Amino acid sequence: MAKITRGPRPKSKSPVPKPIKKAATKAKPARAAGKTAKIKTSKIKTPKIKPWTAAEVHEAFSRFRKVNPEPKGELEHLNPYTLLVAVVLSAQATDAGVNKATRALFAVADTPQKMLELGEEKVRDYIKTIGLYRNKARNVIALSEKLIAEFGGEVPRTRPEIETLPGAGRKTANVVLNMAFGEHTMAVDTHVFRVGNRTGLAPGNTPLEVELGLEKAIPPEFMRHAHHWLILHGRYTCLARKPRCEVCVINDLCRWPEKTV
């Protein structure tokens, strides 16, 4: 049988295409633990409102005084020390919740020395219904130690000294100075911050700006009780979500453009 020879195999008319390489993408760096991405925010332009006149401010606080001549803070306490402890415990907690926990605590420990004798573990047991109670118990013991070591067991009477105490900041110092020692200080909590901005009485981007604005605007004759009037007004009338403008005693003076009266 004759040997069959074959020529070279013809090239394919449609060569197999090479796989397309995907464009390389840079891998995103892993986010560091405990850090969150920064969110870019644009500044919100708020409409300019007419500032309050001195006469209007005087009228507003005259009305507050007429309705409630002697406003009281709602944190229960027995002396300047227990007031200091109560204010430290009230951070991110309600006054009612703090009072519920401190009634029994202050019955057995109303001085720095008694608090130290009680000890951190037992303090935790008394205040465990309050948010962040572990850290707060630690601060109560630490501030009690510092009061004994540096201030003779007494609450100091200046803002810078109070601010050196564990767990105490500017707002805490202002509350203690006002309620315990009658100083004309302005403690700005979430309620005062809201009222100062919403009414236009003392607009500001930070609590300190609102504090300084209120101190500048409010006549000295009202400063003893001004922070309580504003706190109570924000807590029960000028509510965050649904302000009760219809019963507000200063609704005709308020500059809020969305007021309902």
Side-chain angles (χ1 to χ4, degrees), residues 15-231:
V16 178
K18 295 181 179 179
I20 299 173
K21 292 183 179 180
K22 293 183 179 179
T25 57
K26 293 182 180 180
K28 294 181 179 179
R31 186 177 295 170
K35 293 185 178 180
T36 55
K38 291 183 179 180
I39 301 173
K40 293 182 180 180
T41 57
S42 58
K43 291 184 178 180
I44 300 174
K45 293 183 179 180
T46 55
K48 291 184 178 180
I49 58 176
K50 182 181 177 183
W52 288 51
T53 65
E56 288 174 324
V57 176
H58 191 281
E59 174 62 22
F61 283 89
S62 295
R63 295 180 191 179
F64 285 141
R65 181 169 61 187
K66 184 177 181 180
V67 172
N68 189 0
E70 293 290 332
K72 303 294 181 184
E74 297 185 336
L75 281 176
E76 297 174 5
H77 60 283
L78 306 173
N79 52 41
Y81 169 72
T82 53
L83 173 62
L84 170 64
V85 171
V87 178
V88 168
L89 295 178
S90 70
Q92 300 181 48
T94 64
D95 288 357
V98 172
N99 292 337
K100 185 177 180 181
T102 56
R103 288 181 192 123
L105 174 63
F106 293 158
V108 297
D110 59 355
T111 68
Q113 187 60 48
K114 290 179 181 177
M115 196 68 74
L116 290 183
E117 292 171 357
L118 191 61
E120 183 179 332
E121 186 176 346
K122 289 186 178 179
V123 171
R124 283 203 306 265
D125 290 339
Y126 278 102
I127 67 170
K128 62 185 177 182
T129 56
I130 301 175
L132 307 174
Y133 73 97
R134 293 181 183 277
N135 188 52
K136 290 179 180 180
R138 192 177 306 115
N139 283 335
V140 168
I141 293 299
L143 72 82
S144 299
E145 290 175 338
K146 187 159 186 170
L147 287 175
I148 293 172
E150 300 182 22
F151 301 104
E154 300 293 329
V155 176
R157 300 186 64 151
T158 70
R159 183 188 289 123
E161 289 175 318
I162 294 176
E163 287 188 71
T164 67
L165 300 172
R170 186 179 181 91
K171 189 194 81 170
T172 298
N174 284 337
V175 172
V176 173
L177 290 172
N178 180 268
M179 293 181 64
F181 305 123
E183 298 289 338
H184 288 185
T185 54
M186 175 57 61
V188 178
D189 67 351
T190 183
H191 301 297
V192 177
F193 186 78
R194 179 172 65 256
V195 172
N197 275 287
R198 180 182 278 165
T199 63
L201 182 60
N205 295 317
T206 66
L208 181 59
E209 288 181 6
V210 172
E211 175 188 332
L212 298 178
L214 289 171
E215 287 182 344
K216 183 179 180 180
I218 300 171
E221 66 180 287
F222 299 112
M223 279 300 297
R224 176 68 178 86
H225 297 305
H227 113 264
H228 280 128
W229 282 321
L230 293 175
I231 287 174

